[in-house]
């Protein structure tokens, strides 16, 4: 796997469209590399928000975290992606996944399919995207050829195997459906489990590994001078069955970052070396906290060269 500089992204959840241009410019000034849109009912439409972000910014790349494949067909998705890539001057990164919220499919009147059927549908969609984006033609296809970078996000072994074969970026969310709980109720995968999944992708990627980038979606960022106390409070908040029942669980998790700016920066670098997570994203509510850490990570990277 090629060692690149660590990139940072923010998944903007709950953005106010009226404040969106200002939010995008702020995020760019904070040093983020990628601004990402979710694809959930109840949130603004992702490609419309990304097109507006393209007009408001100059440098920051734009992505989806992640498109729910059950909501789209490849031709229409390719059209949206190519349009945003053109508007932004070639800054799009297209993230896609199986879709995991049954309630959203039912609310949209889309029949819910089992995991194996959704996985097969995703692979067919990738074939279609490759075809439609590559064949878009001058003025209709994307700026980035043959297509924008593709992120496949997921946690199951089948999705990760597919990502190892087809993606440019593999997205590790770190959340596992709780057995016996309603669909959409998750626990956080522990460090050993995440490492096994990262190793699975490395094994499956073969000669592609050098070109793959590993992304991790961090669920919480808490900058504090008292990591133990903050971690204990977070463990109480996450609760039983979450995978983060104790302060020790919280502090060991690569998807929860707790500590001083220096401690979190050192953990991000260590997680890159252990898991391969060279692209770190968090949710919009933790944007400002992670932004405080970015300069220190850059300093550590420079010192390590």
């Amino acid at each position: 796997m090629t060692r690149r500089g660590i990139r940072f992204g923010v998944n903007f959840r709950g953005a106010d469209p009226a404040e969106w241009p200002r939010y995008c410019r702020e995020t760019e000034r904070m040093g983020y590399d990628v601004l990402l849109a979710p694809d959930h009912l109840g949130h603004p439409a992702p490609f419309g928000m990304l097109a507006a972000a393209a007009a408001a910014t100059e440098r920051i790349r734009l992505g989806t975290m992640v498109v729910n494949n059950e909501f789209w067909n490849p031709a229409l998705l390719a059209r949206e992606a190519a349009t945003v890539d053109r508007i932004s001057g070639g800054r799009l990164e297209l993230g896609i996944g199986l879709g995991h919220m049954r309630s959203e499919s039912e609310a949209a009147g889309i029949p819910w399919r089992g995991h194996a059927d959704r996985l097969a549908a995703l692979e067919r969609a990738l074939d279609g995207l490759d075809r439609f984006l590559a064949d878009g033609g001058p003025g209709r296809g994307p700026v980035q050829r043959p297509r924008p970078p593709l992120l496949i996000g997921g946690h199951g072994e089948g999705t990760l195997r597919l990502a190892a074969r087809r993606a440019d970026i593999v997205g590790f969310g770190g959340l596992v459906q709780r057995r016996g709980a309603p669909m959409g109720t998750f626990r956080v995968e522990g460090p050993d489990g995440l490492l096994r999944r990262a190793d699975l992708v490395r094994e499956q990627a073969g000669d592609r590994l050098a070109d793959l980038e590993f992304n991790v979606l961090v669920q919480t960022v808490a900058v504090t001078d008292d990591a133990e106390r903050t971690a204990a409070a977070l463990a109480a908040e996450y609760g039983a069955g979450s995978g983060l029942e104790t302060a020790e669980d919280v502090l060991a998790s690569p998807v929860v970052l707790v500590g001083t700016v220096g401690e979190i920066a050192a953990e991000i670098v260590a997680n890159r070396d252990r898991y391969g997570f060279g692209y770190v994203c968090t949710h919009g509510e933790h944007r400002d906290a992670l932004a405080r850490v970015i300069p220190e990570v850059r300093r550590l990277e420079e010192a390590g060269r």
Side-chain angles (χ1 to χ4, degrees):
M1 183 180 296
T2 302
R3 182 161 173 158
R4 309 174 175 90
I6 295 172
R7 296 200 300 159
F8 292 91
V10 59
N11 192 38
F12 62 74
R13 292 199 308 197
D16 178 357
E19 295 294 319
W20 183 234
R22 179 187 59 79
Y23 182 95
C24 295
R25 289 189 290 269
E26 283 181 352
T27 303
E28 187 170 56
R29 285 195 298 269
M30 287 175 173
Y32 280 96
D33 301 285
V34 191
L35 180 61
L36 298 146
D39 188 19
H40 289 292
L41 296 185
H43 292 256
F47 291 104
M49 295 295 278
L50 293 180
T57 59
E58 298 177 358
R59 169 197 59 82
I60 197 166
R61 292 183 67 80
L62 309 166
T64 49
M65 182 62 74
V66 291
V67 164
N68 180 347
N69 186 57
E70 296 294 290
F71 288 173
W72 297 88
N73 71 52
L76 297 182
L77 180 55
R79 181 179 67 173
E80 297 283 338
T83 300
V84 171
D85 198 55
R86 291 199 306 272
I87 288 172
S88 66
R91 288 188 275 155
L92 180 69
E93 299 180 3
L94 180 60
I96 190 167
L98 300 184
H100 61 268
M101 296 295 290
R102 180 171 184 165
S103 59
E104 291 189 1
S105 287
E106 291 174 345
I110 298 171
W112 178 251
R113 299 189 282 190
H115 183 274
D117 288 338
R118 283 181 286 129
L119 182 60
L122 177 57
E123 186 153 21
R124 291 193 299 271
L126 298 180
D127 294 336
L129 284 170
D130 283 346
R131 183 173 70 257
F132 288 119
L133 288 170
D135 295 343
R140 292 185 292 128
V143 172
Q144 300 175 93
R145 291 294 186 168
R147 57 160 172 72
L150 177 70
L151 181 151
I152 297 178
H155 193 75
E157 289 191 6
T159 308
L160 293 176
R161 290 174 189 273
L162 177 61
R165 297 196 312 272
R166 302 290 298 269
D168 303 296
I169 307 164
V170 182
F172 295 85
L175 300 181
V176 185
Q177 171 67 37
R178 292 194 205 181
R179 289 186 179 179
M183 185 69 71
T185 305
F186 302 105
R187 66 174 176 84
V188 176
E189 179 78 282
D192 291 343
L194 267 175
L195 183 58
R196 284 193 298 272
R197 293 175 193 274
D199 285 342
L200 171 68
V201 174
R202 283 189 272 255
E203 292 165 5
Q204 293 292 312
D207 293 341
R208 302 188 72 244
L209 181 59
D211 297 322
L212 277 182
E213 185 176 33
F214 282 13
N215 163 275
V216 62
L217 180 57
V218 173
Q219 302 296 319
T220 299
V221 182
V223 177
T224 174
D225 291 328
D226 192 340
E228 290 285 348
R229 177 175 294 181
T230 302
L234 285 170
E237 182 180 327
Y238 276 107
S242 66
L244 298 173
E245 286 86 359
T246 68
E248 291 75 14
D249 293 333
V250 170
L251 293 173
S253 174
V255 300
V256 180
L257 300 175
V258 179
T260 64
V261 165
E263 288 167 343
I264 292 175
E267 183 176 356
I268 288 171
V269 173
N271 289 342
R272 188 267 311 277
D273 295 340
R274 183 181 187 197
Y275 302 95
F277 296 152
Y279 174 14
V280 179
C281 296
T282 195
H283 296 298
E285 56 266 35
H286 302 296
R287 178 194 68 164
D288 293 5
L290 186 57
R292 295 174 59 186
V293 180
I294 293 174
E296 180 63 12
V297 173
R298 304 285 190 234
R299 189 192 70 77
L300 292 176
E301 287 190 290
E302 186 62 31
R305 288 193 177 96

